[in-house]
Amino acid sequence: VSLHDSTANFAGTYSLRDTVIHLTAPGENDQISHVLDPVILATIRTNMAARGYTEITTPGADSTANLGLGASVSSAEYTGYYWSYWCGIYYYYGCYYPPYWGTYSYTTGTLFITMWDNRNPVAGERQLVWLNLGNGLLGTGANASRVSDAINAMFAQSPYVDATT
């Protein structure tokens, strides 16, 4: 999902926070590996460069660049149980006893990419101008290709993110 402020000025320079923030509830462990963090940041940089942006990397760039970008992830672990009887076409009289049961578990994660405008704060706060969500990317079965494809899709859905407009 890609959402944006249709009145925003996307032209100018940008800064990208150098850390992917892993969002967790108080007292819970982070279920997402940090191994894909460099892929997330590199793919954002590649897309911004392809759109003609210049990255400001000097100290304090988060407030001196025209636009700021940040990435964060969250995760949720799902566990379930199942049970059934042995039934089928081979047992003429119905189901076989005893039943069988088991458990399953998987982790899913959401990637958030946000952009804010540093030029026109409202009541001292920078305004969010672009929000992207990629769900199901960072949990069980996550890989670099899947994450970078999702980030590329976010930019493809957002032709207005252009340094010259």
Side-chain angles (χ1 to χ4, degrees):
V1 173
S2 295
L3 305 170
H4 74 287
D5 177 351
S6 61
T7 65
N9 177 2
F10 288 96
T13 58
Y14 82 98
S15 66
L16 175 62
R17 292 193 173 155
D18 62 356
T19 303
V20 176
I21 298 169
H22 287 233
L23 305 169
T24 58
E28 290 192 14
N29 293 326
D30 185 0
Q31 299 295 320
I32 300 175
S33 169
H34 288 265
V35 73
L36 293 174
D37 291 1
V39 172
I40 293 168
L41 298 174
T43 306
I44 293 170
R45 281 190 173 97
T46 299
N47 277 282
M48 292 298 284
R51 301 287 177 107
Y53 286 97
T54 300
E55 183 178 10
I56 307 298
T57 58
T58 57
D62 190 41
S63 61
T64 59
N66 301 121
L67 302 167
L69 275 148
S72 55
V73 296
S74 69
S75 69
E77 186 170 345
Y78 297 95
T79 302
Y81 306 92
Y82 62 89
W83 68 273
S84 186
Y85 289 97
W86 295 96
C87 296
I89 59 173
Y90 299 110
Y91 189 67
Y92 179 76
Y93 296 104
C95 297
Y96 175 73
Y97 185 81
Y100 65 93
W101 59 86
T103 63
Y104 62 89
S105 152
Y106 64 94
T107 303
T108 185
T110 302
L111 168 64
F112 304 87
I113 298 176
T114 55
M115 181 186 288
W116 55 90
D117 190 341
N118 290 322
R119 295 169 286 207
N120 302 309
V122 175
E125 304 231 352
R126 296 176 279 187
Q127 299 302 298
L128 189 67
V129 295
W130 190 47
L131 170 65
N132 299 277
L133 303 164
N135 196 24
L137 298 174
L138 301 167
T140 305
N143 62 53
S145 175
R146 189 171 175 191
V147 170
S148 62
D149 286 350
I151 295 170
N152 292 337
M154 292 172 186
F155 278 89
Q157 293 172 2
S158 308
Y160 45 82
V161 177
D162 189 312
T164 61
T165 59

